[in-house]
Amino acid sequence: AGVPCHPTGTQPSQLTSDPPWTPVFLLEEVKLTCRGSSVPGPTEWYLDEQLWQRTRSDYIYVSKKHPGNSRYQCRSPGARLSPPITLSFSNDWLVLQVPVRVLVEGDELLLRCRG
């Protein structure tokens, strides 16, 4: 199984998070924004490869009450499904954060320590 393919557009949607770091603390809100074509219509949000909700806006706020990882994707009207991003939610006192975006070999890795 997995996310069904919808050939509604040629370009994939682009999913970004603010803050762009993981893990985040429990109950901390993360703003996810989905960019695609300028076609009007609802944005589809996927949580762990399942359609989760549809919104009129191109952004959504997410948070968790329990620790763990969640994979998010989106589909903007007129565009294809975005590549996934994984957010980890932690109840530790201190977290070493890494960027949410995918890194390739040779990229500089910026780390951030938060308490």
Side-chain angles (χ1 to χ4, degrees):
V3 178
C5 291
H6 297 284
T8 56
T10 54
Q11 295 286 69
S13 303
Q14 296 298 317
L15 179 59
T16 57
S17 69
D18 180 23
W21 302 93
T22 188
V24 295
F25 293 112
L26 294 185
L27 302 179
E28 185 175 6
E29 282 194 332
V30 177
K31 181 181 182 182
L32 299 179
T33 303
C34 190
R35 299 273 186 239
S37 67
S38 56
V39 175
T43 300
E44 292 181 346
W45 300 94
Y46 292 81
L47 174 61
D48 296 326
E49 300 189 350
Q50 299 293 322
L51 179 61
W52 176 39
Q53 52 183 300
R54 289 183 177 92
T55 60
R56 290 183 185 198
S57 64
D58 64 355
Y59 65 90
I60 194 169
Y61 288 92
V62 298
S63 65
K64 291 250 186 210
K65 294 180 182 176
H66 305 287
N69 297 341
S70 293
R71 282 170 47 101
Y72 296 93
Q73 289 172 279
C74 72
R75 189 161 64 88
S76 184
R80 289 188 288 119
L81 197 62
S82 71
I85 63 170
T86 299
L87 291 178
S88 298
F89 294 85
S90 173
N91 60 352
D92 291 332
W93 289 97
L94 193 65
V95 293
L96 182 62
Q97 293 182 316
V98 296
V100 169
R101 69 181 180 85
V102 175
L103 298 171
V104 295
E105 187 176 351
D107 282 355
E108 187 175 276
L109 176 60
L110 186 62
L111 301 176
R112 194 169 88 147
C113 189
R114 283 187 67 212

